[in-house]
Amino acid sequence: MTIPSNTTTADTATIAVNEPASKKQKLEETKNQFVQLNELTTIVADTGDIEAIAKFKPQDATTNPSLIYKAAIMPAYSDLVDSALEYGKGDIETVMDQLAVTFGEKITKIVPGYVSTEVDARLSFDTEATIAKARKIIALYKEKGIDKSRILVKIAATWEGIKAAEILEKEGIACNLTLIFSKAQAIACAEANCTLISPFVGRIMDWYKKKEGVDGYEPSNDPGVKSVSAIYNYYKKFGYKTIVMGASFRNKGEVLELAGCDRLTISPGLLEQLTNSTDDVVQKLDSSKSNDEDIEKITMNEKTFRWMMNEDAMATEKLAEGIRNFTKDIISLEKIVSEKMSK
């Protein structure tokens, strides 16, 4: 697996510090939280809005059907939709694939690292169809002169999706396994040699807030933060190379509580908040300390995976919900595309 090198990119503010008359006046540089966090963690933009990505200049960018749908209905990107329509020549599936890749192509011109493009969520329980779709996505990028080393194919972390990723990784197609809500999913992905996983933070918190009837949690006690931290420490303790990229943040506190994680994919709104603050960012996750954690190694196979998921109501419900919601947005986007095709 080739992992693009980290790059620190953001503006820093400078302030004048008044010194006693006997000393020379000097300028001290104050780093905003975006800069501080990026020194500990690779920052990824979680959006399909190309202008927002250009503003923050992150290392990588992730998209999903929901983000592409939101971007595609923005007037600023109507030309990308029209381009995909022309390419597809009336075939809705081809238009949809081309639309995702067209957005991805634009993003590769802004970020130096990976761009994630998602497989149709309706294929989440079909290993062979997922493999075929991933290969098609990579082929479409190749037509545009973009090497597969720049692309992460996003796949829902069902057992079938993980098995598809295992085969794709052996072909040199890097995969981002998404909708991760449990250690079972994370371990299965690591043992399949997936390049990267996206464990979700905010959606886990949402589930526990509803279950426990609370308004929220302190960041250090956030169930989503705890889940990602446990996965990170498991990977580091047992030497797995799969990248852990925390995702789905509801607030800045969740982001900062995972400072030190391999990667964090963050929405433009939260990136803006980080840029506008100069409060100190403290490293929370440290791979050098993972060996000290008392963690049991789990031997993963299909039976163990399915049983652990069965015993985890939150992970089972949120994985299914995530697939349904991505599917809903795919269908909504298909409706828009179909209407344009009929004109």
Side-chain angles (χ1 to χ4, degrees):
M1 298 182 292
T2 301
I3 302 173
S5 60
N6 190 10
T7 312
T8 300
T9 54
D11 293 331
T12 57
T14 57
I15 60 172
V17 179
N18 291 321
E19 296 285 357
S22 61
K23 294 183 180 180
K24 292 183 179 179
Q25 197 171 35
K26 66 179 181 178
L27 292 175
E28 287 187 354
E29 187 179 70
T30 300
K31 297 178 180 178
N32 64 42
Q33 288 187 317
F34 181 105
V35 174
Q36 293 179 67
L37 181 63
N38 207 30
E39 291 174 348
L40 301 170
T41 293
T42 299
I43 293 179
V44 180
D46 192 21
T47 181
D49 185 345
I50 296 167
E51 291 182 3
I53 296 170
K55 176 180 178 180
F56 294 104
K57 296 181 174 62
Q59 172 70 13
D60 302 340
T62 58
T63 64
N64 62 43
S66 302
L67 297 175
I68 293 294
Y69 169 68
K70 290 175 184 176
I73 60 178
M74 296 170 65
Y77 304 122
S78 61
D79 59 325
L80 301 186
V81 178
D82 292 341
S83 174
L85 285 168
E86 183 178 352
Y87 182 94
K89 301 186 186 306
D91 183 277
I92 186 70
E93 181 179 353
T94 300
V95 172
M96 293 292 289
D97 291 340
Q98 182 65 19
L99 182 59
V101 169
T102 299
F103 271 93
E105 177 195 16
K106 295 290 184 183
I107 296 169
T108 62
K109 296 176 181 177
I110 302 170
V111 302
Y114 287 126
V115 173
S116 291
T117 299
E118 192 149 346
V119 167
D120 191 323
R122 292 169 291 191
L123 307 179
S124 295
F125 301 100
D126 188 331
T127 298
E128 292 304 318
T130 295
I131 292 169
K133 180 65 75 173
R135 289 170 177 163
K136 183 178 180 183
I137 288 170
I138 293 301
L140 288 172
Y141 273 112
K142 186 176 181 180
E143 286 182 12
K144 295 178 177 293
I146 299 168
D147 189 77
K148 64 184 179 182
S149 64
R150 295 293 314 281
I151 307 302
L152 286 173
V153 177
K154 282 182 76 175
I155 299 169
T158 58
W159 181 257
E160 294 80 4
I162 295 167
K163 291 295 104 177
E166 186 172 25
I167 292 169
L168 291 165
E169 291 282 357
K170 290 175 181 176
E171 296 178 2
I173 297 175
C175 298
N176 170 356
L177 274 290
T178 190
L179 296 174
I180 301 275
F181 299 99
S182 73
K183 188 178 284 187
Q185 293 171 288
I187 295 170
C189 290
E191 295 192 352
N193 292 313
C194 296
T195 296
L196 181 149
I197 63 167
S198 297
F200 282 31
V201 179
R203 296 192 197 187
I204 292 178
M205 182 190 71
D206 294 343
W207 192 90
Y208 281 99
K209 279 175 59 178
K210 182 177 180 181
K211 180 177 183 292
E212 297 177 359
V214 298
D215 294 329
Y217 302 89
E218 287 298 314
S220 61
N221 198 42
D222 187 303
V225 169
K226 287 183 173 181
S227 176
V228 176
S229 298
I231 290 168
Y232 175 89
N233 285 319
Y234 187 97
Y235 274 21
K236 304 312 175 187
K237 183 177 180 70
F238 297 113
Y240 291 111
K241 302 302 182 185
T242 298
I243 299 165
V244 180
M245 182 175 72
S248 172
F249 293 102
R250 295 290 182 259
N251 55 67
K252 190 177 74 168
E254 289 180 326
V255 173
L256 296 176
E257 197 63 30
L258 290 172
C261 192
D262 298 333
R263 278 166 164 74
L264 297 174
T265 183
I266 306 169
S267 67
L270 293 178
L271 290 175
E272 187 75 37
Q273 289 182 33
L274 291 168
T275 302
N276 291 335
S277 173
T278 55
D279 291 346
D280 289 340
V281 174
V282 178
Q283 183 169 357
K284 300 291 185 173
L285 297 181
D286 185 345
S287 60
S288 68
K289 298 179 180 178
S290 298
N291 284 335
D292 298 331
E293 297 285 332
D294 183 16
I295 306 172
E296 178 185 358
K297 196 166 194 303
I298 298 171
T299 300
M300 187 56 61
N301 54 45
E302 184 176 358
K303 290 181 180 179
T304 301
F305 177 88
R306 295 198 186 282
W307 181 253
M308 288 179 68
M309 290 295 289
N310 179 72
E311 293 297 284
D312 191 335
M314 178 276 297
T316 297
E317 291 175 22
K318 297 307 288 186
L319 173 59
E321 179 187 73
I323 292 170
R324 287 195 302 270
N325 286 340
F326 282 161
T327 297
K328 180 180 176 181
D329 285 330
I330 291 169
I331 292 171
S332 296
L333 184 54
E334 284 181 340
K335 183 178 179 181
I336 292 172
V337 169
S338 295
E339 289 173 354
K340 286 181 172 288
M341 287 171 59
S342 64
K343 290 181 180 178

